[in-house]
Amino acid sequence: MNVEEAAKQLEALGNPTRLQVYRTLVRAGDCGLPVGRLQEKIGIAASTLSHHLHRLILTGLVTQERQVTTLICRANYLAMNSLVGFLVDECCVDASCAADQNGVAAA
Amino acid sequence: MNVEEAAKQLEALGNPTRLQVYRTLVRAGDCGLPVGRLQEKIGIAASTLSHHLHRLILTGLVTQERQVTTLICRANYLAMNSLVGFLVDECCVDASCAADQNGVAAA
DNA sequence: TTGCTATTTCCACCATCCTCGAAATAGAAT
DNA sequence: ATTCTATTTCGAGGATGGTGGAAATAGCAA
């Protein structure tokens, strides 16, 4: 995971509509949800939803699986875990309080 | 934490430059880093950095503290924890696989 | 083939973002 | 008051994003 990739994923989640899509899928769990059902729940144009789904899929945050005539969408928990890990990674590695702050130099 | 607020924070982290700023602050730990030092490390125009810092501060992801002539910036870990919590919150609440998926209905 | 449903692609408009240099401001020191 | 450093605000450019309607596609059914 590099900065560019992580930023792409965060940007994908950084739009209210897409975040709502993603959370709806998280709530749906492993069962996932068809695109049409997502559209009903969220109430946006199909084209708009498709556009947003595409971005979520490109960044790896959502997966799709064909089931006869409908496409089932699922949140990709592994990608999320990886992203969260990146955010808190290497915390305090460069900690070196030159001035007198509240102690805790190299704890 | 609501969707709008979370989206704002995610969008703030969704720009490569801002994400780099944030991660640099995370690495710096509790000591924080002056704006000027951030600029040196990242190598962008001061005005651009100021712009990005402003957005990170508005969303609560970064805090600033005046120290004589310089402003010390710090990553706000509490905000990050809250954001991460929001992302995985209520996972699988709506799980109800109608079709025959790989079991795990209401585990 | 024809028709049907589910979903995506195309297109356009409007809004917002990213970036930088130049100018303005805040605060301390002389 | 003047000067100096650190940082922010202003203004503008080009680029990208968000949205929905219309049209195109994918796959199945008859």
Side-chain angles (χ1 to χ4, degrees), chain A residues 26-27 31 90 92 94 97, chain B residues 26-27 31 90 92 94 97:
Chain A
V26 167
R27 293 170 60 105
C31 317
E90 302 194 46
C92 311
D94 291 346
C97 312
Chain B
V26 167
R27 293 170 61 105
C31 316
E90 302 195 46
C92 311
D94 291 346
C97 312

Side-chain angles (χ1 to χ4, degrees), chain B residues 8-97:
Chain B
K8 276 259 187 298
Q9 293 189 332
L10 289 163
E11 184 194 30
L13 293 172
N15 172 272
T17 303
R18 279 195 298 271
L19 183 54
Q20 198 179 353
V21 168
Y22 181 79
R23 288 202 80 215
T24 302
L25 290 179
V26 167
R27 293 170 61 105
D30 290 330
C31 316
L33 229 47
V35 177
R37 209 143 196 68
L38 263 176
Q39 193 197 346
E40 288 172 10
K41 288 208 174 215
I42 296 180
I44 57 179
S47 59
T48 302
L49 175 58
S50 182
H51 186 60
H52 286 314
L53 274 176
H54 185 61
R55 286 188 61 167
L56 288 169
I57 290 165
L58 274 187
T59 57
L61 288 165
V62 165
T63 61
Q64 270 183 340
E65 178 202 349
R66 172 138 249 137
Q67 199 152 97
V68 192
T69 63
T70 70
L71 281 171
I72 307 290
C73 306
R74 289 190 185 83
N76 182 0
Y77 305 119
L78 273 66
M80 170 57 65
N81 283 339
S82 168
L83 175 59
V84 170
F86 178 80
L87 286 174
V88 298
D89 202 22
E90 302 195 46
C91 175
C92 311
V93 163
D94 291 346
S96 60
C97 312

Side-chain angles (χ1 to χ4, degrees), chain A:
Chain A
M1 174 80 74
N2 58 44
V3 175
E4 292 293 333
E5 191 184 350
K8 275 258 186 297
Q9 293 189 333
L10 289 163
E11 185 194 28
L13 292 172
N15 171 273
T17 303
R18 279 196 298 271
L19 183 54
Q20 198 178 352
V21 168
Y22 181 79
R23 287 200 84 217
T24 302
L25 291 179
V26 167
R27 293 170 60 105
D30 291 329
C31 317
L33 230 46
V35 177
R37 209 145 195 68
L38 263 176
Q39 192 196 347
E40 289 172 9
K41 288 208 175 216
I42 297 181
I44 57 178
S47 59
T48 303
L49 175 57
S50 182
H51 188 60
H52 286 314
L53 275 176
H54 185 61
R55 286 188 62 168
L56 288 169
I57 290 165
L58 272 187
T59 57
L61 288 165
V62 165
T63 62
Q64 270 184 341
E65 178 201 350
R66 174 138 247 139
Q67 200 153 95
V68 192
T69 62
T70 69
L71 281 171
I72 308 290
C73 306
R74 289 191 186 82
N76 182 0
Y77 305 119
L78 272 66
M80 171 56 66
N81 283 340
S82 169
L83 176 58
V84 169
F86 178 81
L87 287 174
V88 298
D89 202 23
E90 302 194 46
C91 175
C92 311
V93 163
D94 291 346
S96 60
C97 312
D100 48 347
Q101 240 114 26
N102 307 2
V104 198

